[in-house]
Amino acid sequence: MVDKEKSKRRGRPRAFDRDKALRTAQALFHAHGYEGVGVAALAEAMGVNPPSLYAAFGSKAALYEEVLARYDCAAAPMRDLLAPGGDPAAALSAFLRETAAIYAADPQAPGCLVLEGARGVDPDASCRARAFLNDSCNRMRDFVAITHPDKAQVVSDYMAAIMSGMSADARAGKTPEQILAVADMAGLAIRAMLGGR
């Protein structure tokens, strides 16, 4: 005979809110890194039990990848600022300023979830984060290549290095003003490389 009370408690709750669960997981991954938060802590914060987390997302790594995709779409205004037809030096400088502000905005989640994830120890998780990082670098390179094909790769590499440094600085507790100053200095270098206003 099946215990109806036990079967009611099993599995995902009917009111499971996937977006809320992803927001919660994102906050934990951003604050503690992939390796710094376990399945039990994720499940508890998301209001589900571990089997329900696996049923909803497949694995911790798959949940992380979904969080990375959500972050990539919302965190930085790359798609808006790097629209075809814009002046690349001005657009990349504005992008760095926006990124600096985002990295330093929340002391509980400083830096970039993707960049910090790409530095992680877990090979599967860092590989997933690097895929998003590579996609962003390719978007920057392709944007610059429209007007400066000979400089597109070096500019993209430079942008990635500056953003990585700003993310690390934000995680190390540098002030928003310090990180913005780095973005502004890098913007000057990009203008020197590409010309522009």
Side-chain angles (χ1 to χ4, degrees), residues 92-117:
L92 292 173
S93 296
F95 178 66
L96 283 172
R97 286 184 64 83
E98 289 285 332
T99 301
I102 290 166
Y103 290 176
D106 184 356
Q108 300 305 312
C112 174
L113 180 65
V114 171
L115 285 164
E116 298 307 321

Side-chain angles (χ1 to χ4, degrees), residues 1-171:
M1 183 167 190
V2 176
D3 182 338
K4 289 182 181 176
E5 283 304 308
K6 276 188 180 175
S7 66
K8 281 182 187 175
R9 288 192 301 261
R10 277 195 213 128
R12 221 171 1 144
R14 286 188 186 168
F16 180 76
D17 182 337
R18 190 177 189 87
D19 189 59
K20 182 178 177 190
L22 286 168
R23 272 196 320 272
T24 300
Q26 180 176 321
L28 287 170
F29 284 134
H30 206 145
H32 305 290
Y34 180 83
E35 296 87 359
V37 59
V39 170
L42 282 164
E44 183 179 345
M46 292 160 67
V48 298
N49 57 35
S52 295
L53 185 147
Y54 287 115
F57 298 101
S59 67
K60 177 185 171 185
L63 167 62
Y64 183 62
E65 185 165 9
E66 199 166 330
V67 164
L68 288 169
R70 182 181 187 279
Y71 178 84
D72 185 59
C73 286
M78 180 177 279
R79 287 171 186 84
D80 295 335
L81 289 170
L82 304 188
D87 170 44
L92 292 173
S93 296
F95 178 66
L96 283 172
R97 286 184 64 83
E98 289 285 332
T99 301
I102 290 166
Y103 290 176
D106 184 356
Q108 300 305 312
C112 174
L113 180 65
V114 171
L115 285 164
E116 298 307 321
R119 296 188 238 264
V121 176
D122 184 277
D124 183 22
S126 63
C127 182
R128 290 171 193 252
R130 274 195 309 277
F132 284 94
L133 176 58
N134 291 339
D135 183 56
S136 293
C137 290
N138 290 340
R139 279 185 261 163
M140 285 186 282
R141 184 200 62 217
D142 294 347
F143 173 71
V144 175
I146 295 168
T147 54
H148 298 78
D150 57 325
K151 296 180 180 174
Q153 189 62 57
V154 72
V155 169
S156 173
D157 292 343
Y158 179 73
M159 288 285 292
I162 293 299
M163 291 167 64
S164 181
M166 291 192 311
S167 178
D169 282 351
R171 290 192 74 79

